[in-house]
């Protein structure tokens, strides 16, 4: 299971000076070496790091990052607990600024180097055939020098910063490759101009410039695509208005910043406006689009007394809302926290790629050196330099670094758009590897609102109403659905409910209390839903019925169609459980009834433990959810504060489980494709370059291939985003998926 962040100290910081995904892996590896650090994530896209641990020294963490040639800056104290919505706003702002600045910088480099290359390339071919033309080589030398200074400066500063701290990065490879091609050309140029030798040796000034242009173009396209891949976070932020109309002391409404809204304030929402706070409607009615939070496409009518959530959209009516929560305490704020946490976690599969990235650049440097020496021995200096440069340039750890995070960002973001909130990347990966789904019955398969079907009075000394009143008194402190049903019957019959003392709730058994000096117990019964005991004597048996959700049968059929084993786990009577199972398409072997909290945990282990998805309410099934590979809580926005599950379904619809599994499977199919592309690319490209099979134009081919490998990974992740968006649109329109 993922680390419980609530038990650890937390430190957040920005990390400057990162130029590729390999940089983030390097910074992360250095943080993890600090004593007391248990978990660290460095996100390249946003330039932010989150560190978790026990009694670690913040200054040591900063120094560890700084020792890698990066520029860390701490955000708050090591035990900082930032407002979730404020954290999301800061994350989005920081990420947008960093991505925009990165894209602009790469575009500047590409433009300078590209413009010079366009001039130098025809001059290069002309000079190659007209050696007596002395001004041609001079122009090539001058143009390449300008390109290295104004377009290559960023590569050199990054490589030098890393070298000063005894490390290397992707810019090290580029800087060495470009420098080698440039210096060799300078040597040839001097020999040709002043010693009248090496006249047949080609100059690689144009190629050095082309490397800078092509590599910069690839990174520019990658930066633009990364911004598109993170749109889900920006979309979520836009659900929170900056201002709200608050009622003043004169009874009118004035616009105030959302940060100044307090509990109990009365907020006006005009037709077509976004609801800025959580609260209760005290005036007006309107159809409310809640799809942004729950994924439910049909608007819901909200009237006086109904609860509404921030981030939802009032469509056609005016509402006045009494504020119950705003900012980080609101539904949108809690969702923001989940999205933030999911963004700043890593899937287990990513850790393998990170380990490879740590050793990749040094290994490439050794391969390049060996290639240079080997070709110098069997060939000539020019061939040795060109081949070694090709090895340096064609090697690309960036594709490995971004293969998993981009796809996970897309998958988790799409799930949130459907009202499915995944707390961390580990859970998303485990879902794709699961084989069994186990549902709790009450409140998951059924509506969770049992009603009284019958009461059998066993002890005639008390009437039916007297026994219901006693049972309601004993259940008055309980939150169990049976308690709600008994209390509802007592309310409907207008029975007087006496206070209780010595209340005791035993999970999986029932409750007991002292009412008017008598011992009253409402406990499980083998012949009915529960029995009422008065002074340890069975007085009555009550039978409750709980309607099956209309979507449950379809959800089970979908999961069976996906190849999943599906089971139902309940503490209810066996016969009641079998009746529900028949209605939803499960057979008797797939039902575990009369289960206690302990036996539920044992049942999860029998079903497969880590490969099981346990779906329940997140509270009553806490043990089973904790034992399962992934725990899933069904419920509304309030479940976000009480559930310890890995996933929260914002709408009470079990069909969301099938959607979640489909998203997870598609996401990690793309992750594997991305990693496969990156591994295969490097496995083929480096040997081809080292063997000299790319020829004299190898460096330019290598630069184009390196950029293409990054774009393939990014493009594959964007393809996933487009596919998931199309399926969501089909679902909203009611069109069957193909």
């Amino acid at each position: 299971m993922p680390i419980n962040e609530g038990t650890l100290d937390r430190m957040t910081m920005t990390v400057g000076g990162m130029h590729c995904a390999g940089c983030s892996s390097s910074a992360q590896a250095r943080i993890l070496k600090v004593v007391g650090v248990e978990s660290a994530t460095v996100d390249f896209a946003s330039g932010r790091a989150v560190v978790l641990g026990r009694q670690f020294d913040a200054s040591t963490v900063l120094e560890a990052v700084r020792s890698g040639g990066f520029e860390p800056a701490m955000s708050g104290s090591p035990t900082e607990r930032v407002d979730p919505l404020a954290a999301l706003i800061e994350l989005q702002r920081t990420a947008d600024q960093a991505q925009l600045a990165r894209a602009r910088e790469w575009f500047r480099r590409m433009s300078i180097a590209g413009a010079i290359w366009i001039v130098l390339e025809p001059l290069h071919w002309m000079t190659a055939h007209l050696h007596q033309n002395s001004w041609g080589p001079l122009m090539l030398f001058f143009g390449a020098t300008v390109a290295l200074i104004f377009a290559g400066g960023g590569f050199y500063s990054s490589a030098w910063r890393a070298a000063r701290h005894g490390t290397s990065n992707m810019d090290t490879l580029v800087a060495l490759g470009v420098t080698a091609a440039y210096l060799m050309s300078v040597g040839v140029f001097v020999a040709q101009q002043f010693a009248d030798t090496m006249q047949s040796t080609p100059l690689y000034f144009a190629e050095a410039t082309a490397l800078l242009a092509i590599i910069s173009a690839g990174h520019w396209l990658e930066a633009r695509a990364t911004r598109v891949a993170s749109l889900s976070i920006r979309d979520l932020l836009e659900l929170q208005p900056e201002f709200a109309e608050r009622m003043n002391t004169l009874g009118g409404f004035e616009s105030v910043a959302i940060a100044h809204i307090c509990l109990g304030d009365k907020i006006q929402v005009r037709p077509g406006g976004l609801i800025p706070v959580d609260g209760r409607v005290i005036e007006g009615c309107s159809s409310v689009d809640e799809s942004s939070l729950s994924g439910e496409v049909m608007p819901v009518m909200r009237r006086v007394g109904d609860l509404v959530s921030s981030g939802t959209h009032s469509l056609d009516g005016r509402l006045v809302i009494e504020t119950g929560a705003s900012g980080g305490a609101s539904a949108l704020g809690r969702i923001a926290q989940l999205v933030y946490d999911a963004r700043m976690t890593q899937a287990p599969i990513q850790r393998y790629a990170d380990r490879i990235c740590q050793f990749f650049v040094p290994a490439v440097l050794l391969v390049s050196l060996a290639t240079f020496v080997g070709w110098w021995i069997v060939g000539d200096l020019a061939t040795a330099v060109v081949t070694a440069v090709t090895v340096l340039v064609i090697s690309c750890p960036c594709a490995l670094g971004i293969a998993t995070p981009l796809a996970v960002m897309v998958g988790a973001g799409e799930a949130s758009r459907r009202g499915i909130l995944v707390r961390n990347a580990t859970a998303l990966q485990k879902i794709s590897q699961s084989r069994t789904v186990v549902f709790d019955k009450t409140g998951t398969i059924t509506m969770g609102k049992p009603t009284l079907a019958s009461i059998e009075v066993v002890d005639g000394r008390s009437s039916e109403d007297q026994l219901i009143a006693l049972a309601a008194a004993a259940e008055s402190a309980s939150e169990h659905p049976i308690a709600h049903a008994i209390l509802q019957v007592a309310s409907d019959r207008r029975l007087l409910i006496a206070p209780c003392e010595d209340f005791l709730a035993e999970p999986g058994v029932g409750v007991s209390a002292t009412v008017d000096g008598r011992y009253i117990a409402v406990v499980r019964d083998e012949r009915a839903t529960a029995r009422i005991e008065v002074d340890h004597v069975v007085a009555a048996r009550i039978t409750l019925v709980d309607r099956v959700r209309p979507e449950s049968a379809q959800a089970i059929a979908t999961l069976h169609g996906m190849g999943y084993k599906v089971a139902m786990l309940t503490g209810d009577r066996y016969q009641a459980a079998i009746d529900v199972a028949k209605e939803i398409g499960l057979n008797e072997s797939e039902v575990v009834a009369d289960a206690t909290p302990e036996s539920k945990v044992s049942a999860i282990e029998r079903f497969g433990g880590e490969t099981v998805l346990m779906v329940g309410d997140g509270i009553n099934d806490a043990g089973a959810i904790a034992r399962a590979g992934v725990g899933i809580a069904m419920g509304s926005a309030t479940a976000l504060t009480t559930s310890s599950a890995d996933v929260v379904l914002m709408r009470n619809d079990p069909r969301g489980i099938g959607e979640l599994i489909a998203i997870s499977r598609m996401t990690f199919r793309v992750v594997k494709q991305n990693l496969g592309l990156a591994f295969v690319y490097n496995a083929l490209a480096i040997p081809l370059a080292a063997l000299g099979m790319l020829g004299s134009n190898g460096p330019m081919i290598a630069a184009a291939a390196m950029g293409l490998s990054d774009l393939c990974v990014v493009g594959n992740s964007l393809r996933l985003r487009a596919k998931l968006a199309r399926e969501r649109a089909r679902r909203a329109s009611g069109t069957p998926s193909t």
Side-chain angles (χ1 to χ4, degrees):
M1 297 294 288
I3 291 175
N4 181 4
E5 182 175 330
T7 65
L8 303 176
D9 291 336
R10 173 190 178 100
M11 172 182 176
T12 63
M13 61 180 167
T14 58
V15 181
M18 294 192 297
H19 296 271
C20 67
C23 295
S24 62
S25 298
S26 175
Q28 181 173 300
R30 289 177 177 273
I31 295 172
L32 288 171
K33 292 179 182 178
V34 175
V35 175
V37 172
E38 297 192 15
S39 171
T41 302
V42 181
D43 183 45
F44 169 62
S46 65
R48 174 176 287 263
V50 172
V51 184
L52 301 175
R54 291 182 174 86
Q55 298 181 344
F56 61 85
D57 182 58
S59 61
T60 304
V61 173
L62 292 171
E63 183 54 38
V65 176
R66 197 174 290 112
S67 69
F70 306 108
E71 302 161 1
M74 193 166 71
S75 304
S77 66
T79 55
E80 174 192 24
R81 292 293 186 268
V82 297
D83 178 84
L85 201 53
L88 179 61
I89 292 171
E90 183 182 355
L91 173 63
Q92 195 273 340
R93 178 184 57 80
T94 303
D96 260 3
Q97 290 178 349
Q99 290 167 356
L100 185 59
R102 191 177 299 121
R104 286 174 174 171
E105 178 61 22
W106 287 122
F107 183 79
R108 184 189 67 81
R109 296 180 186 180
M110 177 192 70
S111 300
I112 293 173
I116 296 174
W117 179 34
I118 290 173
V119 175
L120 296 188
E121 188 61 26
L123 190 60
H124 166 78
W125 291 108
M126 181 178 68
T127 303
H129 295 88
L130 299 172
H131 298 302
Q132 69 276 17
N133 189 345
S134 60
W135 63 266
L138 184 62
M139 290 296 295
L140 290 171
F141 166 72
F142 178 76
T145 303
V146 172
L148 260 66
I149 294 172
F150 293 100
F155 292 106
Y156 285 109
S157 61
S158 172
W160 173 245
R161 187 163 54 245
R164 281 193 302 116
H165 294 88
T167 186
S168 57
N169 56 28
M170 186 62 202
D171 290 335
T172 303
L173 301 180
V174 175
L176 285 176
V178 171
T179 301
Y182 176 79
L183 290 180
M184 188 200 76
S185 298
V186 169
V188 173
F189 170 71
V190 171
Q192 288 177 348
Q193 298 300 316
F194 300 102
D196 197 26
T197 59
M198 303 182 72
Q199 295 297 328
S200 61
T201 303
L203 299 173
Y204 286 93
F205 287 124
E207 281 77 358
T209 305
L211 290 179
L212 295 175
I214 296 172
I215 293 170
S216 297
H219 285 311
W220 172 60
L221 292 172
E222 177 192 326
R224 285 170 55 89
T226 302
R227 292 193 73 202
V228 174
S230 61
L231 274 176
S232 59
I233 296 179
R234 292 198 288 275
D235 290 346
L236 185 59
L237 178 60
E238 290 173 357
L239 297 175
Q240 177 64 65
E242 293 185 21
F243 298 92
E245 292 187 66
R246 182 178 63 185
M247 181 180 290
N248 56 32
T249 55
L250 300 177
F253 292 92
E254 58 185 3
S255 180
V256 297
I258 194 67
H260 297 153
I261 300 298
C262 300
L263 187 70
D265 283 348
K266 295 177 176 58
I267 305 299
Q268 175 179 252
V269 181
R270 299 176 185 272
L274 284 170
I275 296 176
V277 297
D278 289 4
R280 188 178 300 276
V281 178
I282 59 174
E283 183 181 333
C285 66
S286 176
S287 297
V288 177
D289 179 1
E290 299 180 344
S291 60
S292 56
L293 299 188
S294 68
E296 178 55 58
V297 296
M298 295 301 295
V300 180
M301 180 60 69
R302 297 301 183 195
R303 300 179 174 85
V304 173
D306 290 338
L307 297 175
V308 292
S309 297
S310 60
T312 57
H313 191 191
S314 177
L315 298 177
D316 51 17
R318 171 183 173 273
L319 298 175
V320 177
I321 302 163
E322 183 175 1
T323 302
S326 62
S330 68
L332 184 60
R334 295 193 295 272
I335 292 173
Q337 182 67 66
L338 288 181
V339 174
Y340 178 88
D341 289 345
R343 170 72 177 269
M344 299 305 297
T345 58
Q346 286 185 325
I349 196 172
Q350 173 67 19
R351 298 181 191 124
Y352 298 110
D354 286 346
R355 293 193 191 105
I356 293 172
C357 286
Q358 291 176 37
F359 304 104
F360 189 88
V361 173
V364 169
L365 291 174
L366 290 176
V367 172
S368 179
L369 179 62
T371 300
F372 173 77
V373 173
W375 278 100
W376 196 3
I377 293 173
V378 302
D380 53 53
L381 178 61
T383 302
V385 170
V386 169
T387 309
V389 168
T390 303
V391 171
L392 290 172
V393 174
I394 205 166
S395 307
C396 183
C398 291
L400 284 173
I402 62 177
T404 301
L406 275 184
V408 169
M409 186 193 307
V410 169
E414 178 60 31
S416 70
R417 283 185 168 99
R418 304 187 190 194
I420 305 170
L421 304 179
V422 184
R423 290 184 182 273
N424 53 70
T426 299
L428 194 63
Q429 179 174 338
K430 283 187 174 183
I431 292 166
S432 71
Q433 300 166 341
S434 62
R435 296 293 178 268
T436 304
V437 179
V438 178
F439 286 94
D440 173 49
K441 179 178 75 70
T442 305
T444 305
I445 294 296
T446 64
M447 300 295 291
K449 297 179 180 179
T451 56
L452 182 66
S454 64
I455 177 168
E456 175 193 357
V457 177
V458 178
D459 187 347
R461 288 177 294 179
S462 299
S463 69
E464 184 176 301
D465 282 355
Q466 288 174 327
L467 292 172
I468 290 176
L470 290 171
E475 292 277 18
S476 60
S478 174
E479 291 295 327
H480 196 278
I482 290 178
H484 289 299
I486 293 174
L487 287 165
Q488 185 61 51
V489 173
S491 175
D492 292 342
R493 297 188 181 187
R494 298 184 179 181
L495 303 178
L496 180 64
I497 301 175
C500 72
E501 298 175 346
D502 303 323
F503 174 82
L504 176 65
E506 188 174 352
V509 177
V511 302
S512 62
T514 301
V515 181
D516 291 336
R518 307 169 74 182
Y519 172 82
I520 307 298
V522 183
V523 295
R524 290 175 54 190
D525 188 82
E526 65 280 0
R527 294 168 52 186
T529 304
R531 65 176 180 269
I532 303 171
E533 295 180 357
V534 179
D535 293 330
H536 302 286
V537 175
V538 177
R541 290 186 173 87
I542 57 176
T543 300
L544 302 175
V545 293
D546 188 4
R547 255 187 332 116
V548 172
R549 293 186 185 277
E551 308 89 0
S552 293
Q554 182 183 345
I556 302 299
T558 298
L559 292 171
H560 281 153
M562 298 173 76
Y564 273 76
K565 179 180 180 181
V566 183
M568 186 175 72
L569 190 59
T570 179
D572 205 349
R573 294 178 302 117
Y574 179 76
Q575 190 55 52
I578 292 301
D579 291 342
V580 171
K582 289 178 180 178
E583 190 172 344
I584 62 176
L586 294 178
N587 57 49
E588 294 185 16
S589 64
E590 297 171 315
V591 176
V592 178
D594 297 309
T596 63
E598 293 77 15
S599 66
K600 286 184 177 183
V601 174
S602 299
I604 293 296
E605 292 176 347
R606 290 197 306 273
F607 283 125
E610 286 298 307
T611 63
V612 174
L613 307 182
M614 173 64 196
V615 188
D617 61 14
I619 303 173
N620 297 333
D621 305 297
I625 283 177
R627 180 62 190 88
V630 176
I632 303 174
M634 284 181 58
S636 64
T638 56
L640 295 174
T641 58
T642 59
S643 172
S644 60
D646 301 298
V647 179
V648 176
L649 299 186
M650 294 294 291
R651 65 184 192 275
N652 289 312
D653 186 344
R655 291 177 298 182
I657 304 300
E659 290 185 60
L660 172 63
I661 292 171
I663 290 173
S664 176
R665 283 182 170 182
M666 292 169 66
T667 297
F668 279 90
R669 188 181 304 126
V670 167
V671 166
K672 292 173 183 177
Q673 291 169 354
N674 286 349
L675 289 173
L677 285 169
F679 279 120
V680 169
Y681 165 80
N682 284 292
L684 293 177
I686 294 176
L688 287 175
L691 293 173
M693 299 182 69
L694 299 182
S696 60
N697 291 320
M700 282 194 292
I701 296 173
M706 187 197 74
L708 184 61
S709 70
D710 284 359
L711 292 179
C712 284
V713 168
V714 174
N716 201 31
S717 299
L718 293 182
R719 180 184 63 83
L720 170 66
R721 179 175 177 270
K723 184 175 182 179
L724 290 172
R726 286 195 302 269
E727 289 196 356
R728 174 162 41 88
R730 280 198 296 266
R731 173 177 165 270
S733 64
T735 305
S737 298
T738 55

